[in-house]
Amino acid sequence: MDRWLVALVCSCVVFGIVMIDSASSVWALDRFGDAHFFSKRQAIFAVAGIFLMLFLANYNYWQWKKYAWFVYGGGILLLILVLIPGVGLVRNGSQSWLGVGPLSLQPSEFAKIGVLLLLAKNLEESRHPVTHFRKGMAPHLFLLLIPFGIVMLQPDLGTGTVILGTGLALLFLAGAPYRFFAGLIFLGIAGFAALIISAPYRLQRIVSYLDPWEDPLGAGFQMIQSLYAIGPGALFGFGLGESRQKYFYLPEPQNDFIFAIVGEELGFFGGVLLLLMFSAIVWRGIIIALHAPDQFGQLLAGGIVLMIGIQVMINVAVVIGLIPVTGITLPFMSYGGSSLVLVLLSCGILLNISKNKKTL
Amino acid sequence: MKKITNRMVKKRLALALLLFLTGIVILSGRMFIVQFISHDTLLKKALSSWSRELPMEAERGLIYDRNGEPIVTNKLAPSLFIIPRQIEDRKAAAEMLAEVLEMPLEKAVEFVERKGSMEKLHPEGRKLSFEQVRQIEKAELKGIYIADDFERQYPNGRSLAHVLGFIGVDNQGLSGLELMHDKMLNGEKGAIELYTDAKGRDMEDMSANYNQPEKGNDLYLTIDQDIQSILERELTNAQIQYEPDQMLAVAMNPKTGEILGMASRPDFHPLTYQDANPDIYNRILPVWSTYEPGSTFKIITLAAALEEGKVDLENEQFYDSGSVEIAGTHLHCWKREGHGQQTFLEVVQNSCNPGFIELGNRLGKEKLFEYIHNFGFGDKTGVDLQGEASGILFSLDNVGPLELATTAFGQGVSVTPIQQITAVSAAINGGHLPTPHIAKKWVNGDTGEVIKEIEPEIKRQVISEETSKKVREALETVVAQGTGRGAYVENYRVGGKTGTAQKVKDGRYMDDSYIVSFIGFAPSDDPELIVYIAIDHPKNTVQFGGVVAAPIVGNILEDGLRTLGVEPRKTQVEKSVRWLDPVTYKVPDLIGVTTKELKDMLLPLKLEVEGTGPKVIEQSPKANVTVNEGTTVRVMMGGGE
């Protein structure tokens, strides 16, 4: 078992709880009368998640093949369920939560695992190379686009992007030709151009969306508040617990924008340190994938680690103002039970793959 | 056959790691930009987003007279601000504010319930008194703030109000010098930056930041407050005595053009300007009003004729029959029967119209108008006051014999008081036409360092020193021996000239309405002070400059010269009665005389007019009674249909 990975993951989770405690204290005190409301809950999920991770580390990963369709189908089912009015809960403009009382979960998180498992299994078992578009590629794309489409209906652009990205990453690992990705990029640009030509005002919208200062109280609000946190942080930040933006300026600072609070309190130093920890996790994950005994293990390990990597990339890029706000959690760090438990569960699978590594 | 080779997957895994690490480098680079390169701008913006500014008004610059006597000062009058979110007990706060600010409870409740981040209350919460501030601070309620603000103070009340102007509730200059020099007088606003969370509550761990306001610059005027007070006093007295429509007085240093005093009526108090008619507070009459100057204008004709060598005052004779015919029109002397045979000096002393027509004719229209323009008429003087008019002159092409004649004795031209006093200054100060001005220097309000000093300016030389000396001497005899006797001051060698001009309304002369004026200066050997007074339609008197305006100028000169510390002179032209009048005077028969005729008679008597009507129906003393000069004669007006 990869002890480095366990150590890195646990450090990230603890770091996350500390940051959540700081970031959410003002908010939690105001809302629930308990400054540690969010951090306590996150700690409980963390303990449960780490136990789950260690448990799954001992569960042979190839067994998952049996449940791949089941997990995938279950995920789709929950995704549909969440869209039914009265069943799904709307939070922050997306109908993406299922829940009773204080317990709620995000089915899209499960759908991610379903897609990973099923695509890894199918790619290994496929009789046609992915270079063959109709037979080797199209079936996988089809399975990928179903959950993606449903998630986009919620609408949850962020999770949709992660699902699509993770699926495409698996196809990439499986050897999809570069022209396929070139085609995707071309398709994207063409669709974009078509939209602009059909209605030129959209260009203006996109431009203003990319420039938060155009609309500081509307679309640009979160991004500007995020930059107000990070920018003043400089090299070492204001110090742990010293954030000012958490005083209601940055909305829900313990969620998607927790990296902004890291930048504010711990500065460039803290932010880069965290990015290095993520790099180390991805690096360990790739090593595990390289040493996996079979192709399913390779693809699954690679997929899991790239899923984490893609989320980190997108989340941080949003927080530091490189791309428009999408709404993706930072793995291990952001507050949220579903997100934390699922990423730890994935790490459990990863650890089991590392346990079964092939001696080269 | 395996469709996916392990080699391919491994290659792609390595590539994916490379891509990811590249991404991390890009993200780190972006963080470097945000946290170091954009750090300052973001921090500045963030700080302003965290803080609520409690505005601290800057103290406006003070205004002083030439000797450093304060004319306009300030009093601390703070404003009330609230951050509604921070108020814990809204009911108590509303009740306290309602009581201290003396307003209805409903209004106070509405105020504390407001949603803004920082709210002020107008007008109850502005310009608070010390007592109110003390009570508010004693209540020690959270969320209520007191911010510095000031209120103008006028130690001399209404004095100089037109010139000074006034400011609005936001300390912005609205008229007069306050408006004209708003930028210089205004200081730099400061603020206390209170750090709050996004909901407006105090962030306890961040201390407030104080940006000290910067006081505005102090303005020193050329005004001498003592002379100003004399002007105001004399106008107030004249107001009571004559109840005129309007009045104005200007005192100036004739050598430098420095305005020493400037007053007019009706007036207003700068703190309650809203109670006055805007025409009153928007017009500085001495620079704004234009009217026929009347005989004071003859000084210009005299100066021109002397400079051009067209007349020998002592030795040349002139016969005045009482009228002269010009281009078919009979122009009368103000004295119907005429002044008879006289020297030209007597022409000046008697203010004899036909005599000045003769001088005008000798000069010719080109020369006369050249001098008029040179003396500054027809152009703004450039005085540093707002609303200056330029007056109206005949254009040379339209000047025929009649226009030349009337212009020579001050009719048919329209000038401003400031033009007149400036032009006469040039005529008597050695021929140098000054630019009148009222701002003397600017001083940094905090350090006392002089920022700018306004030096007196001479526009041009209009006549020679020698001619100027002759003009002074001639005008001294006007006061000592002619129409200006009312302005005579023992030992101070006063020179001067009367003026009486019929008012014009809708292009026609008004029957019974005159602007009487007098311009006087002293000492005539070396003039230090020149005073001009104009009284629009005085009542209860003959409307004649020599009777109404000259004594006022005499009073002002006497007190003013003493104030300025001017040495009394040992010799002067003795006050004389040689030419015009015996010491005693036979009261003429006034019964049946019209108001206008009464005026034209220029009686050396004080007239007390009673009743209304076109003609005199009764007089006391009766006709042919011999009385001393200056005796009061009461006439009863009446008659008519």
Short mmCIF file of all heavy atoms in Angstrom, two decimals, chain A residues 61-111:
data_model
loop_
_atom_site.label_atom_id
_atom_site.label_comp_id
_atom_site.label_asym_id
_atom_site.label_seq_id
_atom_site.Cartn_x
_atom_site.Cartn_y
_atom_site.Cartn_z
N TYR A 61 -9.67 -4.44 -6.03
CA TYR A 61 -10.29 -3.49 -6.94
C TYR A 61 -11.00 -4.15 -8.11
O TYR A 61 -11.95 -3.61 -8.64
CB TYR A 61 -9.23 -2.49 -7.44
CG TYR A 61 -8.20 -3.09 -8.37
CD1 TYR A 61 -8.40 -3.05 -9.75
CD2 TYR A 61 -7.05 -3.69 -7.88
CE1 TYR A 61 -7.49 -3.59 -10.60
CE2 TYR A 61 -6.13 -4.24 -8.73
CZ TYR A 61 -6.33 -4.19 -10.10
OH TYR A 61 -5.43 -4.75 -10.96
N TRP A 62 -10.48 -5.35 -8.56
CA TRP A 62 -11.11 -5.95 -9.75
C TRP A 62 -12.54 -6.39 -9.48
O TRP A 62 -13.32 -6.58 -10.39
CB TRP A 62 -10.26 -7.09 -10.31
CG TRP A 62 -9.93 -8.17 -9.29
CD1 TRP A 62 -10.70 -9.21 -8.95
CD2 TRP A 62 -8.73 -8.26 -8.53
NE1 TRP A 62 -10.10 -9.96 -8.01
CE2 TRP A 62 -8.87 -9.41 -7.73
CE3 TRP A 62 -7.55 -7.50 -8.43
CZ2 TRP A 62 -7.87 -9.81 -6.84
CZ3 TRP A 62 -6.58 -7.92 -7.57
CH2 TRP A 62 -6.74 -9.04 -6.76
N GLN A 63 -12.87 -6.49 -8.17
CA GLN A 63 -14.25 -6.85 -7.83
C GLN A 63 -15.24 -5.79 -8.32
O GLN A 63 -16.41 -6.09 -8.55
CB GLN A 63 -14.42 -6.96 -6.29
CG GLN A 63 -13.46 -7.89 -5.62
CD GLN A 63 -13.99 -9.32 -5.58
OE1 GLN A 63 -14.87 -9.68 -6.37
NE2 GLN A 63 -13.47 -10.15 -4.70
N TRP A 64 -14.72 -4.56 -8.44
CA TRP A 64 -15.61 -3.46 -8.83
C TRP A 64 -16.21 -3.67 -10.22
O TRP A 64 -17.25 -3.11 -10.55
CB TRP A 64 -14.85 -2.12 -8.81
CG TRP A 64 -14.62 -1.61 -7.40
CD1 TRP A 64 -13.48 -1.66 -6.70
CD2 TRP A 64 -15.59 -0.99 -6.57
NE1 TRP A 64 -13.63 -1.12 -5.45
CE2 TRP A 64 -14.95 -0.69 -5.35
CE3 TRP A 64 -16.95 -0.68 -6.71
CZ2 TRP A 64 -15.61 -0.09 -4.30
CZ3 TRP A 64 -17.58 -0.07 -5.66
CH2 TRP A 64 -16.91 0.22 -4.46
N LYS A 65 -15.47 -4.44 -11.04
CA LYS A 65 -15.97 -4.70 -12.39
C LYS A 65 -17.40 -5.24 -12.33
O LYS A 65 -18.24 -4.91 -13.16
CB LYS A 65 -15.08 -5.74 -13.09
CG LYS A 65 -13.78 -5.15 -13.61
CD LYS A 65 -13.14 -6.15 -14.57
CE LYS A 65 -11.63 -6.04 -14.49
NZ LYS A 65 -10.99 -7.08 -15.31
N LYS A 66 -17.64 -6.08 -11.31
CA LYS A 66 -18.96 -6.69 -11.18
C LYS A 66 -20.04 -5.64 -10.93
O LYS A 66 -21.18 -5.80 -11.32
CB LYS A 66 -18.97 -7.70 -10.01
CG LYS A 66 -18.20 -8.96 -10.30
CD LYS A 66 -18.34 -9.95 -9.15
CE LYS A 66 -17.46 -9.53 -7.96
NZ LYS A 66 -17.52 -10.48 -6.83
N TYR A 67 -19.66 -4.62 -10.22
CA TYR A 67 -20.66 -3.63 -9.82
C TYR A 67 -20.67 -2.38 -10.71
O TYR A 67 -21.43 -1.44 -10.49
CB TYR A 67 -20.43 -3.17 -8.37
CG TYR A 67 -20.32 -4.34 -7.41
CD1 TYR A 67 -19.15 -4.60 -6.72
CD2 TYR A 67 -21.44 -5.19 -7.21
CE1 TYR A 67 -19.06 -5.66 -5.85
CE2 TYR A 67 -21.34 -6.26 -6.35
CZ TYR A 67 -20.15 -6.48 -5.67
OH TYR A 67 -20.06 -7.53 -4.82
N ALA A 68 -19.78 -2.36 -11.73
CA ALA A 68 -19.63 -1.16 -12.55
C ALA A 68 -20.97 -0.69 -13.13
O ALA A 68 -21.36 0.48 -12.99
CB ALA A 68 -18.63 -1.39 -13.67
N TRP A 69 -21.67 -1.61 -13.77
CA TRP A 69 -22.96 -1.24 -14.37
C TRP A 69 -23.95 -0.80 -13.30
O TRP A 69 -24.72 0.14 -13.50
CB TRP A 69 -23.57 -2.41 -15.16
CG TRP A 69 -23.04 -2.49 -16.56
CD1 TRP A 69 -22.12 -3.38 -17.05
CD2 TRP A 69 -23.39 -1.63 -17.64
NE1 TRP A 69 -21.86 -3.14 -18.36
CE2 TRP A 69 -22.64 -2.05 -18.76
CE3 TRP A 69 -24.26 -0.55 -17.77
CZ2 TRP A 69 -22.75 -1.45 -19.99
CZ3 TRP A 69 -24.35 0.04 -19.01
CH2 TRP A 69 -23.60 -0.38 -20.11
N PHE A 70 -23.89 -1.50 -12.17
CA PHE A 70 -24.81 -1.20 -11.07
C PHE A 70 -24.58 0.21 -10.52
O PHE A 70 -25.51 1.01 -10.38
CB PHE A 70 -24.62 -2.24 -9.95
CG PHE A 70 -25.49 -1.99 -8.76
CD1 PHE A 70 -26.88 -2.26 -8.82
CD2 PHE A 70 -24.96 -1.46 -7.59
CE1 PHE A 70 -27.67 -2.02 -7.72
CE2 PHE A 70 -25.77 -1.21 -6.48
CZ PHE A 70 -27.13 -1.50 -6.54
N VAL A 71 -23.31 0.53 -10.29
CA VAL A 71 -22.99 1.86 -9.76
C VAL A 71 -23.36 2.92 -10.79
O VAL A 71 -23.97 3.95 -10.47
CB VAL A 71 -21.48 1.97 -9.38
CG1 VAL A 71 -21.13 3.39 -8.94
CG2 VAL A 71 -21.14 0.99 -8.27
N TYR A 72 -23.01 2.63 -12.05
CA TYR A 72 -23.32 3.58 -13.12
C TYR A 72 -24.82 3.81 -13.22
O TYR A 72 -25.30 4.96 -13.19
CB TYR A 72 -22.78 3.04 -14.45
CG TYR A 72 -23.12 3.91 -15.65
CD1 TYR A 72 -22.32 5.00 -15.99
CD2 TYR A 72 -24.21 3.60 -16.46
CE1 TYR A 72 -22.62 5.79 -17.09
CE2 TYR A 72 -24.53 4.39 -17.57
CZ TYR A 72 -23.73 5.47 -17.88
OH TYR A 72 -24.03 6.24 -18.96
N GLY A 73 -25.56 2.68 -13.25
CA GLY A 73 -27.04 2.77 -13.38
C GLY A 73 -27.65 3.45 -12.19
O GLY A 73 -28.54 4.30 -12.32
N GLY A 74 -27.14 3.08 -10.98
CA GLY A 74 -27.67 3.71 -9.77
C GLY A 74 -27.45 5.22 -9.79
O GLY A 74 -28.33 6.01 -9.43
N GLY A 75 -26.26 5.62 -10.27
CA GLY A 75 -25.92 7.05 -10.35
C GLY A 75 -26.89 7.78 -11.28
O GLY A 75 -27.41 8.84 -10.94
N ILE A 76 -27.14 7.16 -12.45
CA ILE A 76 -28.06 7.77 -13.41
C ILE A 76 -29.45 7.92 -12.79
O ILE A 76 -30.10 8.96 -12.91
CB ILE A 76 -28.17 6.90 -14.69
CG1 ILE A 76 -26.82 6.74 -15.36
CG2 ILE A 76 -29.22 7.47 -15.63
CD1 ILE A 76 -26.37 7.91 -16.18
N LEU A 77 -29.85 6.85 -12.10
CA LEU A 77 -31.18 6.85 -11.48
C LEU A 77 -31.32 8.00 -10.47
O LEU A 77 -32.30 8.74 -10.46
CB LEU A 77 -31.38 5.51 -10.77
CG LEU A 77 -32.84 5.07 -10.61
CD1 LEU A 77 -33.44 4.69 -11.98
CD2 LEU A 77 -32.95 3.90 -9.64
N LEU A 78 -30.28 8.14 -9.63
CA LEU A 78 -30.31 9.22 -8.63
C LEU A 78 -30.30 10.60 -9.32
O LEU A 78 -30.98 11.52 -8.88
CB LEU A 78 -29.09 9.11 -7.70
CG LEU A 78 -29.14 7.97 -6.68
CD1 LEU A 78 -27.80 7.86 -5.96
CD2 LEU A 78 -30.25 8.18 -5.67
N LEU A 79 -29.56 10.68 -10.41
CA LEU A 79 -29.50 11.94 -11.14
C LEU A 79 -30.88 12.32 -11.69
O LEU A 79 -31.26 13.50 -11.70
CB LEU A 79 -28.50 11.86 -12.29
CG LEU A 79 -27.02 11.99 -11.93
CD1 LEU A 79 -26.15 11.84 -13.18
CD2 LEU A 79 -26.72 13.32 -11.25
N ILE A 80 -31.61 11.28 -12.16
CA ILE A 80 -32.95 11.56 -12.68
C ILE A 80 -33.88 11.95 -11.53
O ILE A 80 -34.66 12.89 -11.60
CB ILE A 80 -33.49 10.34 -13.44
CG1 ILE A 80 -32.66 10.15 -14.72
CG2 ILE A 80 -34.96 10.50 -13.79
CD1 ILE A 80 -32.94 8.84 -15.44
N LEU A 81 -33.74 11.17 -10.43
CA LEU A 81 -34.57 11.41 -9.25
C LEU A 81 -34.45 12.86 -8.76
O LEU A 81 -35.42 13.50 -8.40
CB LEU A 81 -34.11 10.44 -8.14
CG LEU A 81 -35.12 10.12 -7.03
CD1 LEU A 81 -36.37 9.46 -7.61
CD2 LEU A 81 -34.48 9.23 -5.99
N VAL A 82 -33.21 13.36 -8.80
CA VAL A 82 -32.94 14.69 -8.26
C VAL A 82 -33.62 15.78 -9.07
O VAL A 82 -33.88 16.88 -8.59
CB VAL A 82 -31.42 14.90 -8.15
CG1 VAL A 82 -30.86 15.54 -9.40
CG2 VAL A 82 -31.08 15.75 -6.93
N LEU A 83 -33.90 15.42 -10.34
CA LEU A 83 -34.52 16.43 -11.20
C LEU A 83 -36.03 16.52 -10.98
O LEU A 83 -36.66 17.48 -11.41
CB LEU A 83 -34.27 16.08 -12.67
CG LEU A 83 -32.88 16.46 -13.20
CD1 LEU A 83 -32.75 16.01 -14.65
CD2 LEU A 83 -32.63 17.96 -13.08
N ILE A 84 -36.60 15.49 -10.32
CA ILE A 84 -38.05 15.52 -10.11
C ILE A 84 -38.39 16.61 -9.09
O ILE A 84 -37.84 16.63 -7.99
CB ILE A 84 -38.55 14.14 -9.60
CG1 ILE A 84 -38.24 13.08 -10.65
CG2 ILE A 84 -40.05 14.19 -9.30
CD1 ILE A 84 -38.44 11.66 -10.15
N PRO A 85 -39.27 17.50 -9.48
CA PRO A 85 -39.62 18.60 -8.57
C PRO A 85 -40.16 18.05 -7.25
O PRO A 85 -40.92 17.10 -7.22
CB PRO A 85 -40.72 19.35 -9.33
CG PRO A 85 -40.53 18.98 -10.76
CD PRO A 85 -39.98 17.59 -10.75
N GLY A 86 -39.72 18.62 -6.17
CA GLY A 86 -40.17 18.19 -4.86
C GLY A 86 -39.27 17.15 -4.24
O GLY A 86 -39.24 16.99 -3.03
N VAL A 87 -38.49 16.46 -5.07
CA VAL A 87 -37.58 15.45 -4.55
C VAL A 87 -36.19 16.06 -4.40
O VAL A 87 -35.57 16.00 -3.35
CB VAL A 87 -37.54 14.21 -5.46
CG1 VAL A 87 -36.53 13.20 -4.92
CG2 VAL A 87 -38.92 13.59 -5.56
N GLY A 88 -35.71 16.67 -5.51
CA GLY A 88 -34.39 17.28 -5.46
C GLY A 88 -34.43 18.63 -4.75
O GLY A 88 -35.44 19.32 -4.74
N LEU A 89 -33.32 18.95 -4.11
CA LEU A 89 -33.24 20.24 -3.42
C LEU A 89 -32.41 21.20 -4.27
O LEU A 89 -31.43 20.80 -4.87
CB LEU A 89 -32.56 20.07 -2.06
CG LEU A 89 -33.17 19.03 -1.13
CD1 LEU A 89 -32.31 18.89 0.13
CD2 LEU A 89 -34.59 19.40 -0.75
N VAL A 90 -32.87 22.42 -4.29
CA VAL A 90 -32.14 23.43 -5.06
C VAL A 90 -31.17 24.15 -4.12
O VAL A 90 -31.56 24.65 -3.08
CB VAL A 90 -33.10 24.45 -5.69
CG1 VAL A 90 -32.31 25.50 -6.47
CG2 VAL A 90 -34.08 23.75 -6.60
N ARG A 91 -29.90 24.14 -4.49
CA ARG A 91 -28.94 24.93 -3.72
C ARG A 91 -28.09 25.74 -4.68
O ARG A 91 -27.58 25.20 -5.66
CB ARG A 91 -28.02 24.02 -2.89
CG ARG A 91 -28.73 23.49 -1.67
CD ARG A 91 -27.75 22.85 -0.72
NE ARG A 91 -28.49 22.06 0.26
CZ ARG A 91 -27.91 21.21 1.08
NH1 ARG A 91 -26.61 21.04 1.04
NH2 ARG A 91 -28.63 20.54 1.95
N ASN A 92 -27.94 27.00 -4.40
CA ASN A 92 -27.14 27.89 -5.25
C ASN A 92 -27.56 27.79 -6.71
O ASN A 92 -26.73 27.75 -7.60
CB ASN A 92 -25.66 27.58 -5.11
CG ASN A 92 -25.18 27.80 -3.69
OD1 ASN A 92 -25.73 28.62 -2.97
ND2 ASN A 92 -24.17 27.04 -3.30
N GLY A 93 -28.85 27.67 -6.95
CA GLY A 93 -29.34 27.73 -8.33
C GLY A 93 -29.31 26.41 -9.07
O GLY A 93 -29.73 26.33 -10.21
N SER A 94 -28.80 25.34 -8.44
CA SER A 94 -28.80 24.05 -9.11
C SER A 94 -29.65 23.06 -8.33
O SER A 94 -29.54 22.98 -7.10
CB SER A 94 -27.39 23.48 -9.22
OG SER A 94 -26.57 24.36 -9.91
N GLN A 95 -30.43 22.29 -9.08
CA GLN A 95 -31.21 21.25 -8.41
C GLN A 95 -30.37 20.00 -8.41
O GLN A 95 -30.50 19.16 -9.28
CB GLN A 95 -32.53 21.04 -9.17
CG GLN A 95 -33.49 20.17 -8.41
CD GLN A 95 -34.90 20.30 -8.96
OE1 GLN A 95 -35.22 21.25 -9.64
NE2 GLN A 95 -35.76 19.34 -8.62
N SER A 96 -29.49 19.90 -7.41
CA SER A 96 -28.52 18.80 -7.48
C SER A 96 -28.36 18.09 -6.15
O SER A 96 -27.35 17.46 -5.92
CB SER A 96 -27.18 19.34 -7.96
OG SER A 96 -26.75 20.36 -7.10
N TRP A 97 -29.33 18.22 -5.29
CA TRP A 97 -29.18 17.59 -3.98
C TRP A 97 -30.37 16.70 -3.68
O TRP A 97 -31.50 17.01 -4.00
CB TRP A 97 -29.07 18.65 -2.88
CG TRP A 97 -27.84 19.47 -3.02
CD1 TRP A 97 -27.66 20.51 -3.87
CD2 TRP A 97 -26.63 19.30 -2.33
NE1 TRP A 97 -26.41 21.01 -3.76
CE2 TRP A 97 -25.73 20.29 -2.80
CE3 TRP A 97 -26.18 18.40 -1.33
CZ2 TRP A 97 -24.44 20.40 -2.34
CZ3 TRP A 97 -24.89 18.54 -0.87
CH2 TRP A 97 -24.03 19.53 -1.37
N LEU A 98 -30.07 15.57 -3.02
CA LEU A 98 -31.10 14.69 -2.51
C LEU A 98 -30.95 14.69 -1.01
O LEU A 98 -29.84 14.67 -0.51
CB LEU A 98 -30.89 13.26 -3.02
CG LEU A 98 -31.45 12.88 -4.38
CD1 LEU A 98 -31.15 11.42 -4.62
CD2 LEU A 98 -32.93 13.14 -4.47
N GLY A 99 -32.06 14.69 -0.31
CA GLY A 99 -31.83 14.63 1.13
C GLY A 99 -33.07 14.70 1.96
O GLY A 99 -34.13 15.12 1.52
N VAL A 100 -32.90 14.23 3.19
CA VAL A 100 -33.96 14.29 4.17
C VAL A 100 -33.36 14.98 5.40
O VAL A 100 -32.32 14.54 5.90
CB VAL A 100 -34.46 12.88 4.56
CG1 VAL A 100 -35.69 12.99 5.46
CG2 VAL A 100 -34.78 12.07 3.32
N GLY A 101 -34.01 16.00 5.83
CA GLY A 101 -33.53 16.70 7.03
C GLY A 101 -32.12 17.20 6.86
O GLY A 101 -31.79 17.77 5.84
N PRO A 102 -31.29 16.98 7.89
CA PRO A 102 -29.94 17.53 7.84
C PRO A 102 -29.02 16.74 6.91
O PRO A 102 -27.94 17.20 6.55
CB PRO A 102 -29.47 17.44 9.29
CG PRO A 102 -30.27 16.32 9.86
CD PRO A 102 -31.57 16.26 9.12
N LEU A 103 -29.41 15.51 6.55
CA LEU A 103 -28.56 14.71 5.69
C LEU A 103 -28.94 14.94 4.24
O LEU A 103 -30.10 14.84 3.85
CB LEU A 103 -28.72 13.22 6.02
CG LEU A 103 -28.02 12.76 7.30
CD1 LEU A 103 -28.38 11.32 7.61
CD2 LEU A 103 -26.51 12.92 7.18
N SER A 104 -27.94 15.26 3.45
CA SER A 104 -28.24 15.42 2.03
C SER A 104 -27.03 14.97 1.25
O SER A 104 -25.90 14.97 1.76
CB SER A 104 -28.57 16.87 1.71
OG SER A 104 -27.50 17.70 2.09
N LEU A 105 -27.23 14.52 0.03
CA LEU A 105 -26.07 14.12 -0.76
C LEU A 105 -26.24 14.53 -2.20
O LEU A 105 -27.33 14.84 -2.67
CB LEU A 105 -25.79 12.63 -0.62
CG LEU A 105 -26.55 11.61 -1.49
CD1 LEU A 105 -25.93 10.26 -1.32
CD2 LEU A 105 -28.03 11.58 -1.15
N GLN A 106 -25.10 14.59 -2.87
CA GLN A 106 -25.06 15.04 -4.25
C GLN A 106 -24.88 13.83 -5.15
O GLN A 106 -23.78 13.28 -5.23
CB GLN A 106 -23.87 15.99 -4.43
CG GLN A 106 -24.29 17.42 -4.62
CD GLN A 106 -23.10 18.28 -4.94
OE1 GLN A 106 -22.06 18.15 -4.28
NE2 GLN A 106 -23.24 19.15 -5.92
N PRO A 107 -25.93 13.39 -5.85
CA PRO A 107 -25.83 12.19 -6.70
C PRO A 107 -24.78 12.33 -7.79
O PRO A 107 -24.19 11.33 -8.20
CB PRO A 107 -27.22 12.09 -7.33
CG PRO A 107 -28.12 12.90 -6.48
CD PRO A 107 -27.29 13.97 -5.88
N SER A 108 -24.53 13.58 -8.20
CA SER A 108 -23.56 13.73 -9.28
C SER A 108 -22.18 13.24 -8.86
O SER A 108 -21.38 12.82 -9.70
CB SER A 108 -23.51 15.18 -9.74
OG SER A 108 -23.40 16.04 -8.63
N GLU A 109 -21.89 13.30 -7.55
CA GLU A 109 -20.61 12.79 -7.06
C GLU A 109 -20.52 11.28 -7.29
O GLU A 109 -19.48 10.76 -7.68
CB GLU A 109 -20.45 13.11 -5.56
CG GLU A 109 -20.36 14.59 -5.24
CD GLU A 109 -19.02 15.20 -5.64
OE1 GLU A 109 -18.05 14.46 -5.86
OE2 GLU A 109 -18.96 16.45 -5.76
N PHE A 110 -21.66 10.59 -7.03
CA PHE A 110 -21.67 9.14 -7.26
C PHE A 110 -21.56 8.84 -8.74
O PHE A 110 -20.91 7.88 -9.14
CB PHE A 110 -22.95 8.52 -6.68
CG PHE A 110 -22.94 8.47 -5.19
CD1 PHE A 110 -23.53 9.47 -4.44
CD2 PHE A 110 -22.33 7.41 -4.53
CE1 PHE A 110 -23.50 9.43 -3.06
CE2 PHE A 110 -22.30 7.37 -3.15
CZ PHE A 110 -22.88 8.38 -2.41
N ALA A 111 -22.23 9.68 -9.55
CA ALA A 111 -22.21 9.44 -10.98
C ALA A 111 -20.79 9.45 -11.53
O ALA A 111 -20.46 8.70 -12.44
CB ALA A 111 -23.07 10.49 -11.68
#
